[in-house]
Amino acid sequence: QVQLVESGGGLVQAGGSLRLSCAASGRTSSSYGMGWFRQAPGKEREFVAAISWSDGYRRYADSVKGRFTISRDNAKNTVYMQMNSLKPEDTAVYYCAADRSSYRLLPSPLSQGYAYWGQGTQVTVSS
């Protein structure tokens, strides 16, 4: 089992920045890829970013590429997402998730690839 706790969400004006954190506990989290997803009101959950267990590969949704950066600190069992140049359309609940399989070379952009989820943190971007 693994527990994931997100933090860092909040209200920010368009053009501003936030850094989300996801603290993992339980199994050896450093062996697993991690992902960030988001869900806006009335919309399906969508992929945002993911990072491989070794930090050798990162992938991003086109909508956030160049603005968001995912990173991890395995010594702290924590994954981060730096979000810059935020837009109102980034408003959503953001969830972190832990990969279903260990040592996956390429992190999955699909929610089915993740076995554990945090409870989410709200990000609201005002115009």
Side-chain angles (χ1 to χ4, degrees), residues 8 11-20 67 82-86:
L11 173 64
V12 64
Q13 289 188 333
S17 299
L18 284 173
R19 189 176 82 153
L20 304 183
R67 300 188 298 122
Q82 179 67 40
M83 305 187 297
N84 298 329
S85 302
L86 283 161

Side-chain angles (χ1 to χ4, degrees), residues 59-92:
R59 68 193 308 168
Y60 299 92
D62 288 343
S63 59
V64 306
K65 204 170 292 183
R67 300 188 298 122
F68 291 11
T69 302
I70 189 171
S71 62
R72 66 188 300 159
D73 184 339
N74 284 341
K76 296 182 178 179
N77 292 325
T78 301
V79 175
Y80 305 97
M81 187 160 70
Q82 179 67 40
M83 305 187 297
N84 298 329
S85 302
L86 283 161
K87 305 175 181 180
E89 50 263 44
D90 294 318
T91 295

Side-chain angles (χ1 to χ4, degrees), residues 3-14:
Q3 294 77 43
L4 303 173
V5 179
E6 303 97 333
S7 61
L11 173 64
V12 64
Q13 289 188 333

Side-chain angles (χ1 to χ4, degrees), residues 38-50:
R38 67 186 181 187
Q39 187 167 19
K43 295 188 177 182
E44 293 187 353
R45 188 173 298 186
E46 65 174 1
F47 170 76
V48 178

